[in-house]
Amino acid sequence: MSDQPAYSRSRPCRFTEVLRWDIETDVAVVGFGAAGACAALEAVRAGAKVVLLETTSGSGGTSALSGGEMYVGGSGGTPQQQAAGFHDDTEDLYRYLLMAGGPDADAAKVRLYADNSLAHFEWMQAQGLVYKNSFIPQRIVEPFTDDCLIWSGSEEAWPFAESAKPCPRGHTPQWMGLGGGRYLMDRLAERVAETAVDVRYDTRAVALIVDDSGRVQGLVQRRDGQDSFLRATRGVVLCAGGFIMNQDLMRRYAPQLMRANMPIGTVDDGSGILLGQSAGGHAIHMDQGFVTLPWYPPEQLIKGIFINARGQRFINEDCYHGRVAQHALQQAGDRFWLLLDQEIFAEPEFGQFAKITIGATGDSWQEVERELELPEGALVSTVDLYNRHAAQGHDPLFRKAARWLRPLTQGPFVALDCRIDHAAYFSFTLGGLDTLPTGEVMDATRRPVAGLYAAGRTACGMPRWGAGYSSGMSLADATFFGRQAGLTAARC
């Protein structure tokens, strides 16, 4: 007879099998990243007794690895947007987020967030986060300075600009240099420490506890190899990240995303999603993920054109860098280059980090084509077609905006090497448990699983389509909907 417990992440512990409760609380939150911190804060401030479990020895999760940027706006604009001369209408924010969500965008979540985005930004500031009143008009990935407002998506690019008035919405906290996510998490962790939240580090949730009616009653926690039983009378909130580090889940759900070679995450083993599924939660869009190759700044590189292994363009290069990389992953083959002429050539600022190097040079595009070993005429015909229309300020194939159009005619010419097996393509998952805007986890029939909530990358939130992602959407989604989940659980 096996001594192994009958429960696991994929198999819940039955309520009738619990002989004793080692800990009792109102709300249990799993994961101390941005979503978990916000869920715990709102739950405890609503009067609930809260236990917060974290697998590692400290707070942060993947949120702490980020740039700390949040995608916010609407209601006329944040102070930073207004100071930069922008009026951000809530309906423009709503339409952009709806397009960014893709074919199955969650209109209810987008509506709630768009209507409350500015208030949420003010809530984040009330937690101690400081945002400088400054704007960087150039297209960048992340500020090297302590500046705030940036263009962080495809707001000015086709097709988004046709439906929503462009406005910069990436807000980075006042933190000198890269990595503002650590600063953001430290402020949230300070607020948690000021409350009565019972934080338990080095503690893993190994199984949910479910009664005969299907209601989640608590969880089994493991620390130092010992299991104990935690009862959560109002609910369990899963905020344990995505699954980019779980190779088995990646092969099962998102094999295409495995072509990206630089996963972003800490634990991110899918444990929260598996726990939710064990209690009947339904996971959606598990094939979707964020992927990027930071090929700009400087922004002049946007005036170049990307080609695939056939020597063909496949995207309007003025869109968000992640959208470019997402479309690259959908192409056949692994070979991609960014074509530039002498007038716009520059070393990408993240070139060494992203392993972007020069793949070929030549005094003519024919020479570049031969050096890249492309079929004769493939690259040359692509450039000729592009140049002919760019000279007239048009891009009939991909609708690149006129400000980024110029013929590539000033030799010598360069092809930057962006091959998938050569450059660094960074990624994380977007699929997760299906949830209501309130954080309630849904089953396959879209009925709530009683006592179970989720937020952050454990849930499938607003950003659920890699081709529509913009920087700052994950932290915006995690913090805002983490708050909703915490409040809902506390009030049950």
Side-chain angles (χ1 to χ4, degrees), residues 432-467:
L433 297 171
D434 186 12
T435 59
L436 292 177
T438 52
E440 296 164 273
V441 173
M442 311 299 284
D443 66 16
T445 65
R446 297 229 80 210
R447 294 179 180 177
V449 178
L452 188 61
Y453 310 86
R457 291 286 66 79
T458 298
C460 186
M462 284 192 307
R464 54 177 56 196
W465 185 49

Side-chain angles (χ1 to χ4, degrees), residues 293-371:
L293 175 73
W295 55 277
Y296 66 78
E299 65 174 16
Q300 68 200 61
L301 297 177
I302 298 171
K303 296 178 181 178
I305 60 174
F306 269 94
I307 61 168
N308 59 22
R310 299 186 182 95
Q312 300 169 328
R313 285 180 72 209
F314 55 89
I315 190 69
N316 50 316
E317 295 84 3
D318 58 338
C319 63
Y320 174 65
H321 52 87
R323 183 172 169 85
V324 171
Q326 185 71 222
H327 277 258
L329 252 65
Q330 305 307 313
Q331 306 295 305
D334 297 328
R335 303 202 304 162
F336 304 94
W337 297 274
L338 176 61
L339 305 184
L340 309 164
D341 69 2
Q342 183 184 40
E343 186 175 334
I344 61 172
F345 170 76
E347 293 283 351
E349 290 184 15
F350 290 92
Q352 286 190 324
F353 178 63
K355 303 177 183 177
I356 300 173
T357 59
I358 294 176
T361 60
D363 290 325
S364 68
W365 284 118
Q366 286 86 352
E367 289 183 39
V368 174
E369 181 180 84
R370 286 194 295 271
E371 192 169 340

